[in-house]
Amino acid sequence: MEAHKITRWFGKIRAIAVATAFLVYPVVSYRATVATHRAAQAALLALLPVLVVTLAMAWAGRPRSLRLGAWGLLTAVAWHDRAFMTAHYSWLYLGENVGMMVLLCGLFARSLRPSRTPLISRLSLLMRGSLSPLLARYTRRVTALWAGLFGALAIVSLLLFFEAGIRIWAFYANILMWPIMVFVFVGEYLVRLAVVPAEERAGFLQVVLASQRHWRNLIAGTHHHPGSCRRLSP
């Protein structure tokens, strides 16, 4: 029982730490991007999330020793080319921002292929166990919505970086993007209230918690429900 409590509290602390990082990092990144006299710190800050995420992926993957070795090699290359990265630190932020949006766009868009279950439909299956035809059609459209949004955000980021200047781009990439995504998330939920019957929809907080719980299955696409998956076609 004590071990269970410790694990539960550790999970809560980790969730709070991740949420805090998501709130603080964009603001710090914006300040670092526009402060050209702190290029070295800006370059390090741009690389930090990439290093942390890739290290976590290497640690979780198999064979672990090979993946950690590859991570160490890439880190050494980055250190060797630190002068170049410092001189072009804004490109690091651009690559990180656009790369993340393209990755998310691909994740959602790939799940729309006929042979796969749309990502939002998969989340609903994990929560409910089966989908009605109406909910299957709706969740497919929401998956397409998010794929299009992430793709559009990436395109706008590239346009602003090359056409509007670093300050405007930094404000968009680090500050404005998050309210846009929250606005779409809340807007979609309000549409869901009007379109999906009450007995078929989950609460706002339920969706957030389920996404946090099942994100590995969502990314891997390993979740299958015999019988219910056949009902996902629109």
Side-chain angles (χ1 to χ4, degrees):
M1 182 63 70
E2 290 298 325
H4 177 70
K5 288 183 178 179
I6 292 173
T7 302
R8 187 174 59 185
W9 278 106
F10 179 76
K12 290 181 179 180
I13 293 172
R14 183 176 60 181
I16 293 172
V18 170
T20 302
F22 269 104
L23 291 173
V24 172
Y25 182 77
V27 178
V28 176
S29 295
Y30 170 73
R31 293 177 62 87
T33 306
V34 300
T36 55
H37 62 288
R38 295 182 177 178
Q41 295 91 326
L44 177 61
L45 188 63
L47 284 174
L48 186 60
V50 178
L51 293 175
V52 171
V53 171
T54 52
L55 177 59
M57 292 173 63
W59 182 263
R62 296 290 186 274
R64 180 178 295 172
S65 57
L66 182 61
R67 290 174 178 265
L68 289 176
W71 180 86
L73 179 61
L74 291 174
T75 303
V77 170
W79 174 256
H80 181 268
D81 293 333
R82 62 189 181 279
F84 176 83
M85 292 185 178
T86 299
H88 301 87
Y89 69 91
S90 60
W91 287 81
L92 294 175
Y93 282 102
L94 176 67
E96 180 183 281
N97 178 260
V98 173
M100 179 58 68
M101 293 300 107
V102 170
L103 181 66
L104 290 170
C105 175
L107 180 67
F108 279 79
R110 185 178 61 179
S111 72
L112 291 169
R113 292 185 300 184
S115 60
R116 301 178 67 91
T117 302
L119 194 143
I120 302 300
S121 303
R122 198 181 304 147
L123 177 61
S124 296
L125 277 171
L126 286 163
M127 296 174 65
R128 300 179 55 83
S130 64
L131 299 182
S132 69
L134 184 149
L135 191 56
R137 287 193 296 269
Y138 181 81
T139 51
R140 183 178 183 85
R141 289 167 182 166
V142 174
T143 302
L145 168 68
W146 281 104
L149 175 67
F150 289 128
L153 290 174
I155 293 171
V156 172
S157 182
L158 286 170
L159 291 174
L160 290 178
F161 185 85
F162 290 109
E163 300 294 336
I166 191 65
R167 286 184 174 273
I168 294 177
W169 173 83
F171 179 79
Y172 165 79
N174 294 292
I175 306 298
L176 193 57
M177 264 190 176
W178 299 101
I180 290 174
M181 287 187 280
V182 170
F183 177 80
V184 172
F185 188 83
V186 174
E188 184 275 314
Y189 181 73
L190 294 177
V191 172
R192 185 176 299 215
L193 291 178
V195 173
V196 179
E199 64 273 12
E200 293 191 49
R201 63 174 181 260
F204 189 86
L205 186 58
Q206 284 180 292
V207 174
V208 174
L209 294 177
S211 301
Q212 180 186 6
R213 254 192 335 266
H214 300 301
W215 66 269
R216 285 190 178 89
N217 282 335
L218 293 175
I219 293 174
T222 56
H223 183 77
H224 297 285
H225 277 270
S228 63
C229 290
R230 292 197 297 268
R231 301 171 64 185
L232 289 173
S233 58

